[in-house]
Amino acid sequence: MPLPAEDSPTHESVTGRSAPPRPIPGPRPARPRGGSRSGPGGRGPGATAPGATAPGARPAPAAGQGRPAAGPQLQLIPATPDGAVDAADEAVDLLLESGRAPAEILVLTTGELHPWATHELSFGEDGYWAQEAAGDDVFYASAAASERLARRPVVVVAVNGGGDDATAAALPAAMTRAAALLILCGDADYINGILGVSV
């Protein structure tokens, strides 16, 4: 059964605006984590206990309910198209705080590029794609470019526009790039309708 966005609790931020639910960090290998984030904000991982769950997060559906048993864990963070990138940024921050290494995270957008990607591309495509090839930090890209992207443990998708056809192609492609956890930030009814399944 689809998860309506209104069923998900929101948290009041310091500024009084509604913030999206905090995601569960998801499955991780037992090896230690380290590193720092040099992407937007330059914030590194915090001291949150690695196994801690976050309030408001939706657990992944059981095997056979909208995803293959061998596929990544699936999470939905309700967000409007205008708020999807902010929700994705918050998800990245929480993943880093939970102990994920920056190199394990890929962020995709279905509509406009993430501001980090736009900034890096302003210096030329060669340098931008060299950062993806290095694979040592969080990387931000268009979901349309998923064929050029390496597989990473965690993929966060901001469903921030781009049209039905682009989104319909982007979501399954993102699933093939996520080894352990796929976080979708967008409208629950819209995503369920595009995927044809209940997330």
Side-chain angles (χ1 to χ4, degrees):
M1 161 173 148
L3 300 176
E6 59 269 21
D7 286 353
S8 297
T10 56
H11 305 281
E12 206 62 18
S13 68
V14 186
T15 60
R17 291 178 299 171
S18 229
R22 297 167 64 90
I24 300 170
R28 294 194 325 266
R31 63 187 177 82
R33 299 280 172 251
S36 62
R37 179 179 175 197
S38 60
R43 294 176 292 249
T48 303
T53 59
R58 292 279 186 198
Q65 293 183 351
R67 68 177 176 91
Q73 178 182 356
L74 206 53
Q75 280 183 33
L76 174 65
I77 298 177
T80 63
D82 289 341
V85 169
D86 288 339
D89 284 343
E90 181 175 341
V92 169
D93 287 342
L94 291 167
L95 288 162
L96 294 171
E97 289 169 8
S98 75
R100 284 279 182 189
E104 295 182 341
I105 304 169
L106 172 65
V107 180
L108 302 175
T109 54
T110 62
E112 288 185 20
L113 285 173
H114 188 282
W116 182 91
T118 301
H119 174 75
E120 292 302 315
L121 279 166
S122 71
F123 298 108
E125 287 205 20
D126 290 345
Y128 171 77
W129 287 109
Q131 292 181 58
E132 195 279 334
D136 56 6
D137 205 348
V138 179
F139 191 74
Y140 300 79
S142 167
S146 63
E147 290 183 9
R148 294 189 66 173
L149 300 166
R151 190 168 162 87
R152 294 200 184 197
V154 182
V155 175
V156 180
V157 181
V159 183
N160 64 331
D164 294 353
D165 291 342
T167 303
L171 297 182
M175 190 171 287
T176 67
R177 294 293 177 257
L181 178 62
L182 176 62
I183 299 174
L184 304 176
C185 303
D187 179 82
D189 291 336
Y190 179 71
I191 290 171
N192 286 328
I194 290 290
L195 289 178
V197 296
S198 298
V199 178

